[in-house]
Amino acid sequence: MGLLSDPNRRRALIGMLTRLNAPICMICYMAGVAWFMGLAFEPFTLRTYMSENAMGSTMVEERFPAGERALATGREFAAHKKKTGGMPVDWLVRTMQARGLEVYTQRFSRKLPFPDEDKERYMVKGTNVYGILRAPRAPRTEALVLSAPCSPGNENNQAVGILLGLAQYFRSQIYWAKDIIFLVNEHDLIGMQAWLEGYHHTNTTGMDWSPLQGRGGSIQAALSLELSSDVVTSLDLVLEGLNGQLPNLDLANLFYAFCQKIGVLCTTQGKLPRNDWDTTSGYSHAVQTMMLMVLKQASSRPWGDHGLFLRYHIEAASIKGVNSFRPYKTDATTVGRLLEGMYRKLNNLLERLHQSYFFYLMPSLTRFVSIGYYMPAFGLLALILLLRALDLWVQLSSPPTRTTEDGVEVVPASPGVLSILTPLVISHLTGVALYTLPVLSQELAVEHFPVSETEAVVLTAIAIYTAGLALPHNTHRLLAGEGTEQGWKVLKLVAVLYLAVLLGCTALINFSLGFILALTLVPLAAFITPHVPKTLSAVVMVILSPGLTLLFAVFFFQELQETPVTLQEGWMLYLSVISQGILDHALYGSLLYPLAALLVYPCWLLFWNILFWK
Amino acid sequence: MAARRCLGLWFFLITLCVVSTGADVLHTTPVTGTESSAAGTETVVARELPEAPSDPGEHTAAEPTREGEQNDRTRGGEQTLGQPTREEEQEQEKTREGEQTPAQPTREEEEEEEEQEQTRGEEEFTREEEEEELTREEEELTTEEEELTREEEEQTREEEELTTEEEELTTEEEELTREEEEQTREEEEEQQTTAQQEEQTKRWEATELEEEHVHDAAVPPLAGDPPAADPPSPPPSKDDFQEELVIRPLHSGDIYASFQFRTVWDADFMGDQKVSHYRLFPKSLGQVITKFSVRELHISFTQGYWRTMQWGQPYLPSPPGAELWVWFQDTVTDVDGTWKELTNVLSGIFCASLNFIDSTNTVQPSASFKPLGIGNVTDHSFLRYATLPREIVCTENLTPWKKLLPCGSKAGLSVLLKSEKLFHSTFHSQAVHVRPVCQDPQCRTTSMELRQTLNVVFDLHTSGQGKREWSLFKMFSRTLTEACPLASSSKVYVDVTDNPQGEQFELSPATPLLTQAVVLGDRRTYSVYDLTQQASFGSSRSLNMLLRWKAADGYIHYQPSKDRERPHLLEMLLQLPPNSVTEVTVEFERALLKWTEYTPDPNHGFYVGSSVISALVPSVVAMDTNSTLDRPLFSSFFPCKEEASYFMRVYTEPLLVNLPTPDFSMPYNVICLTCTVVAVGYGSLYNLLTRTFQVDEPSPGLAKRIANVIRRFRGVPLL
């Protein structure tokens, strides 16, 4: 306060900020990256702990005995699945009824905007089967969900087997206080979407489904089980949901607690927690785990069937059985006991999970970084934008007055609104085209080029993206005449503030996405002026553009997963990632595609415009 | 090939006749000869079924009270007329079995059960035909030798001819005819007994509909002025004209209007003396009847198909297109020649292409289409029947039809018959029936009856503009101002059976006159407007009945909440259609509460109590309304107001709603933050505001003072 209330000192401060702007920005950027990398360093992170009192104090005793029988049921399920060539609805209904559940089915159908080549589907029709175990003496106000997908091929049969086995065992217990819904969903997320929309009586994506005949109460928590082998070496916990939403950390804690208790190896991102944090390999292991989580979260897509529950404020996670070459194996009974323990603990909940964190990163299953620790990393990057904006503001408010020959001071005319508005509007129109045209013009593209619909959509998107680079710059000259020095500064000020707000909002909702975008866009926003060398800057800009960021992310992700790909494979993967992104938006309402097309890309185009300002 | 096609046509026509035997059963003497046409019948029965039923479920649901003291003899008599309905109902019964089962016993009575079982047996016959086919065959084989031999014969025939299917069909057909015979016999007995009673009741009110019976005793008390207000039928005059309009609101929201004009003339066309003086009876028709020695003539022109599924049974059924059937006097020698001439003449009279009727589309049904008038003629060689399904009915058929009326389209009900409205409908059927009827109860002399009917169904969406609101003006673009001066009776009936308390629709102007009639096996209640009485027209001198359907939710009471004072209350009175799902959705917004209003466990959610459904449900057995009786305690809590229904209350499950909940660990953070802000911000601000600037002469330090002392000694300026 004292600093700012003194005009002299304020001037001095501003003078220092403008003078040392570039070095400060450099320092901020490096500090931000360093902070982020430091998040994976164990001494800087917190150990996970159970916050929820209802789940913490008393351990339950798990008694699930019937793992082998569950596996047999799974094999029966597999046989019926093969026979009907899809979801064996009748068999499931009968089996669930035989286990004493209230059984209902839900039909749904969905036509994808264009064929999904990864999963080979276009017109999707299916049936969800779910059985409700009614809690004795409970008024149907709360429910828990255990789901297993009915996947094509030989996948997930054991998961359905264990689900039915648990249903049978749970049915004979009397301690349930919440209804337990056993759901077998077809067509993975599409079925789940239909079921959730039916359950909550909403329709956000224009899907066709029959209304649910039976409901429990409000769902408190949900687990999705994926298991494709009779024995597992470890269980992997998947948390990342739609739009980077995460379940309450206590759910992860619960899983970890029971893994510890029962003695099952548990992982997140497929990586075991390690204790050797002080070695380089231990640190890089933590970094890899965290980066995988960051990349998955930034992708904004649900990474398991649980992902759509989060939209309804239902804490959910997927548990995947992994069967690797490790010698130590866990049988189905143990997995069943683990689930039983988790459900009994969830059953004890008095309130929905809310005590622990909703925003966190996990460098390992035992460690977490909360929002208070990771936000500064982003804050340091965002600070650069503010500093640049301040610098520009100062430059614009005290224009360099030139004295002409006759001694009259000429103040350069402030740029017209048009010269700012034109690039803004045009770049956003390009964004709208990028958002709408690929899906709309697929038929046209298929007609004229030898490509499939999916390829058509992806290639159209890339074509519009590339065409956007050529189209907009310097169009303002047609309307507003020659661009001025003032003009680009105002435009850049607007663009920098725009980017700051955009990234700030994104980071609040989805930190990972915001941070990755900031990492590439902020340096670009900081250094671009019309006076830098054009060709070199253009190359750098293209490399740092959102589209190529995605490409690098794809390679990086494969690298982290220890499945490196060649350039060719990487490119194909890149194309499929784009198509998946568009599909995720259409099917589940993932926001990444519209965000990138309608806001980030136009914002990047503004800087492109500044580079070619004349 | 040509021969086969002819055969096919022949079969088709025959089947038509046999199917309608049900309707004519009243007049049938036991028929044994139907076996010959057996193969075709079964197929037609099967074909006719899906498009039949009236809705028994709804009747029972709407009128649970109707049971008990009803005169079952009359009812039995009615059944014969209602028979085809019942037979055809089964298709719907099949679909509605679930909801109907509780309602069925209400309809039945102990006494009636036997008869009903009879008819029901017939219904079930086709319903379970697949199952029964085999078992019945086996039974027959074991029990009756004759049948055995017949079967053998058939088997041999079958070897020569076609498949096993035909055999099944024939056996079934035998069953069918046998049952029909039995029934006919029974019904005839009943008919005799009812006939006497009918005559007694008929005496005090001229019955316009042949199916109509008036039951004094059954008129509900709200009919303050029972039909006794109607004038007793006048002493038999030479000729007599009656007109009548029945309006029935259909469940689909459409409306059905049926006109009937009846002219009865005591002239004897069959006698020797020539009839030459015509008053009310149309001369054109009279001459035709005389010239061609017609005993009975039935002609109908229909445009559209009667949708029984949605509309129930019509008062007078008719096939799409034109239908003509005529009984000639037995004095006619060349029946075919007369028929040919007659069709040509009628073609001219009605401006229709009846002249296309020739031997290729004329049949002589032997079992069906018995005479509807008096006279027990069994020789079907005097009967000719033809249909022209392609005949398109339009105004040129309506105009000559209207000209047959005594008042034309000048007065009375016939002013409503404006063609532009009548043909702007989903169903239009006009017919002329000429037949001899009894002049008096003893039936010593006969008179000729001409009955002109016109049935029309107005569509809710095309003519009603989607609004469930009807008036005479809306339907016909005319209102009624007077009765036909030549008519002895002129009445408008509105079917209010489904609307006993006026909760479904309201009728204005209201009329105190109510009458009941048994139509198609069901007792219906009608509001009556007598046009011969000036009072019907009211002060405006014209009658424009208005029928306004009430909204399905008869009553909504909503009391909005006041924050922290009272909750919302939403009450709705709903009439639910059977076998349907009703969903009540309430939209709400989540709001933040005041922070003290949160419960200790706010993340558990907030409860919304159960909704309550209170209903009167039709009861399977008659409920006991006497609450003073000594009954088990568990059965006597809810007082029972009426016998036919019981009270029921359903509670839905409570809801758990999550409200936005602040993080209650936040206050700690907030306190920390505010303390910091206050400390830093307020401190410096206070500092800025309260600081005063003064020029202060600092007292020099010790070193400086010493230095100055030295300087003074040296004589140089001080520091």
Side-chain angles (χ1 to χ4, degrees):
Chain A
M1 268 302 163
L3 202 66
L4 294 178
S5 60
D6 183 347
N8 288 328
R9 276 191 263 183
R10 185 168 61 195
R11 204 175 302 123
L13 182 68
I14 290 172
M16 191 194 72
L17 283 180
T18 44
R19 211 162 359 98
L20 298 177
N21 201 290
I24 293 177
C25 286
M26 295 282 279
I27 290 168
C28 276
Y29 190 76
M30 292 200 314
V33 174
W35 188 296
F36 181 73
M37 295 312 284
L39 294 178
F41 191 52
E42 196 172 310
F44 295 162
T45 59
L46 290 172
R47 209 178 167 76
T48 53
Y49 56 93
M50 190 77 85
S51 297
E52 176 63 59
N53 288 325
M55 293 200 303
S57 56
T58 53
M59 271 292 175
V60 291
E61 198 176 324
E62 306 86 26
R63 295 209 178 103
F64 177 68
E68 282 311 309
R69 208 192 306 161
L71 289 180
T73 318
R75 281 189 285 276
E76 206 181 326
F77 171 75
H80 279 90
K81 190 165 81 175
K82 200 174 245 172
K83 207 162 67 184
T84 47
M87 182 99 159
V89 176
D90 294 337
W91 181 82
L92 267 176
V93 169
R94 257 185 291 118
T95 316
M96 283 190 179
Q97 272 167 350
R99 279 155 177 70
L101 306 181
E102 274 184 49
V103 189
Y104 304 96
T105 57
Q106 184 204 26
R107 298 177 169 285
F108 59 89
S109 64
R110 179 74 216 249
K111 187 177 164 231
L112 273 53
F114 56 91
D116 183 352
E117 286 187 348
D118 280 16
K119 289 175 179 160
E120 291 171 357
R121 57 190 182 190
Y122 182 47
M123 304 281 292
V124 180
K125 255 194 186 120
T127 313
N128 292 326
V129 180
Y130 63 103
I132 304 178
L133 192 168
R134 293 290 183 199
R137 300 178 308 281
R140 298 188 181 183
T141 49
E142 293 172 293
L144 301 171
V145 173
L146 174 60
S147 80
C150 170
S151 324
N154 241 344
E155 300 280 300
N156 285 328
N157 297 327
Q158 283 80 358
V160 177
I162 287 185
L163 177 132
L164 292 170
L166 280 174
Q168 187 167 22
Y169 174 73
F170 283 4
R171 183 69 182 82
S172 53
Q173 310 305 319
I174 52 144
Y175 41 64
W176 299 114
K178 300 173 173 43
D179 293 355
I180 300 180
I181 302 175
F182 296 91
L183 167 67
V184 181
N185 55 314
E186 203 178 359
H187 298 300
D188 48 63
L189 282 163
I190 298 182
M192 194 55 96
Q193 168 89 1
W195 190 81
L196 280 169
E197 289 196 345
Y199 197 93
H200 294 99
H201 217 296
T202 56
N203 200 338
T204 50
T205 53
M207 191 182 222
D208 260 353
W209 39 259
S210 59
L212 297 188
Q213 297 300 316
R215 296 172 75 254
S218 80
I219 301 174
Q220 304 289 302
L223 287 181
S224 174
L225 188 62
E226 289 174 36
L227 204 63
S228 302
S229 55
D230 287 357
V231 287
V232 293
T233 49
S234 62
L235 292 174
D236 188 42
L237 182 71
V238 184
L239 298 169
E240 298 83 5
L242 186 71
N243 290 327
Q245 278 184 292
L246 298 170
N248 196 277
L249 189 58
D250 268 346
L251 199 64
N253 297 337
L254 181 69
F255 173 72
Y256 180 68
F258 271 95
C259 284
Q260 290 299 102
K261 186 187 175 199
I262 295 179
V264 183
L265 283 181
C266 52
T267 61
T268 178
Q269 322 300 342
K271 310 257 183 205
L272 283 168
R274 275 163 68 157
N275 290 321
D276 52 344
W277 56 270
D278 43 356
T279 64
T280 321
S281 70
Y283 173 67
S284 85
H285 184 82
V287 171
Q288 281 176 23
T289 315
M290 190 179 73
M291 283 312 294
L292 271 173
M293 180 160 187
V294 166
L295 287 175
K296 280 185 178 179
Q297 198 188 4
S299 75
S300 289
R301 59 181 317 200
W303 285 82
D305 281 0
H306 72 282
L308 298 173
F309 280 96
L310 297 169
R311 171 189 283 160
Y312 300 94
H313 195 357
I314 297 165
E315 309 315 318
S318 284
I319 294 175
K320 291 187 181 174
V322 179
N323 193 15
S324 67
F325 300 110
R326 244 179 255 273
Y328 183 72
K329 304 278 186 190
T330 307
D331 61 352
T333 311
T334 317
V335 176
R337 277 172 54 213
L338 181 121
L339 287 168
E340 184 205 347
M342 288 182 74
Y343 271 88
R344 288 197 57 183
K345 276 301 195 67
L346 291 171
N347 181 50
N348 288 345
L349 279 182
L350 294 175
E351 305 177 59
R352 53 174 71 225
L353 289 170
H354 69 284
Q355 300 275 20
S356 194
Y357 294 90
F358 286 98
F359 298 94
Y360 52 87
L361 293 176
M362 297 189 91
S364 81
L365 196 51
T366 53
R367 294 270 161 180
F368 76 99
V369 184
S370 78
I371 185 169
Y373 289 83
Y374 65 60
M375 260 318 190
F378 174 79
L380 284 169
L381 294 188
L383 187 64
I384 297 173
L385 295 176
L386 296 183
L387 285 175
R388 296 309 292 186
L390 182 74
D391 185 28
L392 284 168
W393 179 257
V394 170
Q395 284 181 31
L396 283 170
S397 58
S398 58
T401 50
R402 278 172 291 167
T403 317
T404 49
E405 296 86 55
D406 36 345
V408 179
E409 286 191 347
V410 174
V411 179
S414 63
V417 180
L418 271 183
S419 68
I420 309 302
L421 212 56
T422 323
L424 263 177
V425 168
I426 289 179
S427 54
H428 278 91
L429 285 181
T430 320
V432 169
L434 179 60
Y435 177 63
T436 50
L437 286 185
V439 176
L440 286 182
S441 65
Q442 50 171 318
E443 281 165 19
L444 198 73
V446 168
E447 223 169 84
H448 292 91
F449 301 100
V451 287
S452 70
E453 276 97 342
T454 319
E455 285 170 342
V457 171
V458 175
L459 295 179
T460 317
I462 294 177
I464 294 174
Y465 187 88
T466 321
L469 305 189
L471 261 181
H473 57 268
N474 284 335
T475 35
H476 64 93
R477 288 167 66 192
L478 295 175
L479 291 166
E482 198 65 15
T484 55
E485 193 71 3
Q486 292 273 323
W488 75 259
K489 280 185 180 165
V490 174
L491 182 60
K492 184 168 176 184
L493 178 62
V494 168
V496 164
L497 288 178
Y498 181 10
L499 186 64
V501 171
L502 177 62
L503 290 180
C505 294
T506 312
L508 280 180
I509 297 166
N510 186 343
F511 165 76
S512 305
L513 182 60
F515 187 77
I516 288 177
L517 285 176
L519 217 50
T520 56
L521 290 178
V522 165
L524 172 153
F527 83 86
I528 284 298
T529 62
H531 307 305
V532 290
K534 290 270 186 305
T535 327
L536 182 67
S537 309
V539 170
V540 170
M541 270 204 77
V542 169
I543 285 175
L544 291 180
S545 79
L548 283 186
T549 308
L550 178 61
L551 181 64
F552 299 142
V554 168
F555 279 105
F556 188 43
F557 182 73
Q558 293 298 323
E559 206 62 42
L560 286 174
Q561 282 211 315
E562 292 159 16
T563 52
V565 286
T566 61
L567 275 180
Q568 178 70 25
E569 288 167 344
W571 176 253
M572 294 315 290
L573 205 58
Y574 176 59
L575 297 186
S576 98
V577 161
I578 294 175
S579 75
Q580 290 298 315
I582 300 175
L583 273 180
D584 281 348
H585 171 57
L587 291 180
Y588 319 120
S590 154
L591 292 176
L592 179 59
Y593 177 53
L595 179 82
L598 294 176
L599 296 172
V600 178
Y601 174 62
C603 188
W604 181 85
L605 276 182
L606 287 180
F607 291 109
W608 185 257
N609 230 311
I610 292 163
L611 179 63
F612 292 99
W613 190 273
K614 280 182 184 136
Chain B
M1 281 306 287
R4 179 176 275 190
R5 206 182 302 143
C6 282
L7 194 70
L9 185 65
W10 180 80
F11 262 123
F12 172 67
L13 290 166
I14 285 299
T15 53
L16 266 179
C17 314
V18 178
V19 167
S20 27
T21 41
D24 290 42
V25 114
L26 191 74
H27 304 279
T28 341
T29 47
V31 185
T32 47
T34 27
E35 279 172 24
S36 58
S37 63
T41 315
E42 183 53 39
T43 57
V44 171
V45 168
R47 181 149 31 95
E48 292 278 306
L49 284 175
E51 55 210 24
S54 72
D55 193 349
E58 284 188 16
H59 290 324
T60 45
E63 302 164 281
T65 42
R66 179 174 309 126
E67 59 164 355
E69 300 82 20
Q70 223 178 90
N71 188 342
D72 57 347
R73 267 138 125 231
T74 326
R75 196 165 171 152
E78 292 306 320
Q79 271 171 13
T80 55
L81 285 163
Q83 203 89 66
T85 337
R86 287 271 163 71
E87 282 177 14
E88 289 158 357
E89 271 171 17
Q90 51 176 324
E91 178 67 23
Q92 202 168 14
E93 276 187 356
K94 221 184 278 176
T95 56
R96 287 183 181 239
E97 251 168 2
E99 52 161 309
Q100 222 197 352
T101 31
Q104 252 174 18
T106 340
R107 192 173 59 166
E108 286 171 26
E109 273 177 77
E110 289 165 339
E111 295 151 307
E112 275 187 3
E113 256 172 15
E114 286 178 5
E115 308 164 12
Q116 296 258 354
E117 267 177 287
Q118 168 75 37
T119 51
R120 198 171 295 281
E122 202 172 280
E123 292 167 26
E124 282 166 2
F125 165 62
T126 25
R127 185 193 307 167
E128 298 163 8
E129 45 190 0
E130 289 103 351
E131 303 163 15
E132 286 185 16
E133 273 167 10
L134 291 170
T135 51
R136 189 178 298 146
E137 265 187 28
E138 285 171 9
E139 283 172 23
E140 281 168 2
L141 276 167
T142 46
T143 49
E144 289 180 47
E145 288 183 7
E146 288 180 11
E147 297 230 341
L148 245 176
T149 52
R150 201 187 304 153
E151 288 253 340
E152 282 169 6
E153 283 172 23
E154 279 165 2
Q155 274 175 3
T156 51
R157 207 191 307 151
E158 173 208 334
E159 282 165 19
E160 294 167 13
E161 284 182 10
L162 289 165
T163 55
T164 47
E165 283 177 28
E166 270 202 8
E167 176 210 336
E168 287 170 16
L169 291 173
T170 39
T171 42
E172 264 173 35
E173 181 50 35
E174 285 159 26
E175 281 289 319
L176 186 71
T177 42
R178 198 177 311 133
E179 282 189 28
E180 270 176 14
E181 285 166 33
E182 285 173 30
Q183 211 176 357
T184 324
R185 231 175 289 134
E186 278 197 16
E187 280 158 6
E188 274 177 357
E189 288 168 17
E190 285 164 3
Q191 186 60 29
Q192 284 166 10
T193 50
T194 26
Q196 297 167 358
Q197 205 190 355
E198 274 176 42
E199 281 154 18
Q200 287 167 3
T201 42
K202 263 180 190 169
R203 200 160 286 164
W204 58 267
E205 194 193 60
T207 313
E208 281 85 4
L209 286 175
E210 59 179 307
E211 302 94 341
E212 192 174 309
H213 299 271
V214 178
H215 294 272
D216 243 352
V219 171
L222 75 161
D225 197 7
D230 293 347
S233 66
S237 61
K238 188 79 171 135
D239 48 5
D240 177 47
F241 175 68
Q242 295 174 333
E243 57 179 3
E244 182 183 295
L245 164 64
V246 187
I247 293 173
R248 192 166 88 193
L250 301 170
H251 286 287
S252 56
D254 304 338
I255 197 153
Y256 170 37
S258 172
F259 291 88
Q260 303 238 358
F261 302 93
R262 185 170 100 141
T263 315
V264 182
W265 192 15
D266 293 350
D268 185 16
F269 287 94
M270 301 148 201
D272 301 330
Q273 77 271 28
K274 208 164 157 56
V275 182
S276 50
H277 293 288
Y278 289 86
R279 202 173 80 94
L280 297 177
F281 204 90
K283 190 172 179 181
S284 53
L285 265 187
Q287 283 176 335
V288 168
I289 290 163
T290 322
K291 173 151 192 244
F292 298 104
S293 305
V294 173
R295 170 189 282 276
E296 274 191 27
L297 180 142
H298 302 274
I299 183 165
S300 77
F301 299 98
T302 307
Q303 190 78 17
Y305 182 76
W306 184 267
R307 302 172 201 167
T308 320
M309 275 291 236
Q310 289 145 41
W311 296 341
Q313 278 295 309
Y315 294 121
L316 272 170
S318 55
E323 180 200 43
L324 173 68
W325 56 286
V326 175
W327 277 93
F328 292 99
Q329 305 273 8
D330 44 11
T331 51
V332 178
T333 47
D334 178 14
V335 179
D336 286 326
T338 321
W339 167 249
K340 181 83 188 147
E341 275 184 62
L342 176 68
T343 53
N344 279 294
V345 170
L346 288 175
S347 176
I349 292 179
F350 291 105
C351 280
S353 0
L354 296 174
N355 51 329
F356 285 103
I357 293 174
D358 54 16
S359 60
T360 59
N361 50 14
T362 302
V363 286
Q364 305 171 32
S366 56
S368 187
F369 295 101
K370 295 296 165 197
L372 294 179
I374 53 162
N376 198 5
V377 187
T378 51
D379 188 357
H380 62 267
S381 60
F382 295 104
L383 170 64
R384 291 294 179 274
Y385 175 89
T387 55
L388 294 172
R390 260 193 87 171
E391 180 71 16
I392 290 167
V393 187
C394 201
T395 41
E396 79 267 18
N397 307 105
L398 182 67
T399 314
W401 183 90
K402 278 199 287 196
K403 280 184 181 162
L404 300 179
L405 296 169
C407 289
S409 51
K410 301 286 188 295
L413 294 175
S414 51
V415 296
L416 299 178
L417 303 174
K418 297 295 288 184
S419 53
E420 70 266 30
K421 279 289 180 186
L422 289 185
F423 292 102
H424 194 249
S425 58
T426 43
F427 178 84
H428 171 94
S429 166
Q430 60 187 64
V432 171
H433 302 277
V434 180
R435 62 176 178 179
V437 291
C438 289
Q439 218 173 74
D440 47 9
Q442 285 73 38
C443 213
R444 275 185 232 102
T445 52
T446 63
S447 47
M448 214 49 167
E449 182 202 62
L450 165 68
R451 193 186 281 252
Q452 287 180 259
T453 65
L454 189 140
N455 294 309
V456 61
V457 175
F458 291 103
D459 184 11
L460 172 70
H461 294 284
T462 57
S463 37
Q465 285 95 45
K467 272 192 241 164
R468 290 160 73 86
E469 192 180 306
W470 295 102
S471 66
L472 279 188
F473 189 80
K474 205 165 180 180
M475 286 188 274
F476 303 104
S477 73
R478 285 284 182 286
T479 55
L480 288 172
T481 49
E482 56 173 345
C484 173
L486 301 172
S488 63
S489 145
S490 176
K491 286 177 183 167
V492 179
Y493 294 83
V494 181
D495 192 335
V496 292
T497 316
D498 302 329
N499 190 32
Q501 260 77 52
E503 70 268 22
Q504 292 229 353
F505 52 85
E506 65 172 317
L507 196 60
S508 63
T511 170
L513 222 55
L514 283 176
T515 184
Q516 286 204 326
V518 177
V519 191
L520 300 168
D522 193 9
R523 183 185 301 245
R524 314 288 297 179
T525 312
Y526 296 89
S527 288
V528 187
Y529 298 84
D530 194 345
L531 300 187
T532 50
Q533 292 179 353
Q534 264 317 306
S536 303
F537 297 104
S539 55
S540 61
R541 301 238 149 249
S542 82
L543 177 64
N544 179 26
M545 268 168 336
L546 191 68
L547 195 145
R548 195 180 286 118
W549 284 85
K550 291 186 176 171
D553 34 13
Y555 169 78
I556 292 187
H557 173 225
Y558 175 62
Q559 188 188 42
S561 75
K562 280 184 190 163
D563 275 354
R564 297 168 182 91
E565 276 181 35
R566 66 172 191 215
H568 291 271
L569 173 67
L570 177 63
E571 279 183 298
M572 285 187 282
L573 192 63
L574 298 175
Q575 191 150 33
L576 305 182
N579 201 12
S580 63
V581 177
T582 304
E583 206 174 81
V584 180
T585 324
V586 180
E587 274 186 27
F588 66 96
E589 269 175 28
R590 296 165 203 259
L592 271 172
L593 300 181
K594 287 181 181 167
W595 71 282
T596 47
E597 287 167 349
Y598 282 97
T599 52
D601 54 349
N603 279 290
H604 179 65
F606 289 79
Y607 282 89
V608 176
S610 303
S611 307
V612 188
I613 302 160
S614 308
L616 277 177
V617 181
S619 167
V620 175
V621 292
M623 300 294 291
D624 202 350
T625 48
N626 189 353
S627 57
T628 55
L629 278 182
D630 191 22
R631 279 185 300 174
L633 295 178
F634 60 82
S635 68
S636 61
F637 183 67
F638 287 119
C640 191
K641 297 270 165 49
E642 47 184 87
E643 285 185 345
S645 55
Y646 62 95
F647 180 76
M648 199 179 74
R649 187 167 281 163
V650 180
Y651 293 94
T652 66
E653 52 205 45
L655 267 186
L656 195 57
V657 179
N658 272 82
L659 294 184
T661 312
D663 180 359
F664 285 104
S665 62
M666 209 56 174
Y668 167 74
N669 300 346
V670 170
I671 289 167
C672 291
L673 199 67
T674 27
C675 287
T676 316
V677 168
V678 166
V680 176
Y682 176 75
S684 49
L685 191 69
Y686 182 77
N687 192 6
L688 275 177
L689 292 175
T690 54
R691 188 190 293 177
T692 52
F693 294 92
Q694 326 180 328
V695 181
D696 194 19
E697 279 299 313
S699 60
L702 181 68
K704 204 174 178 180
R705 244 183 275 169
I706 295 170
N708 281 343
V709 169
I710 295 169
R711 276 169 176 257
R712 202 171 289 148
F713 277 114
R714 285 172 57 196
V716 290
L718 298 178
L719 280 174

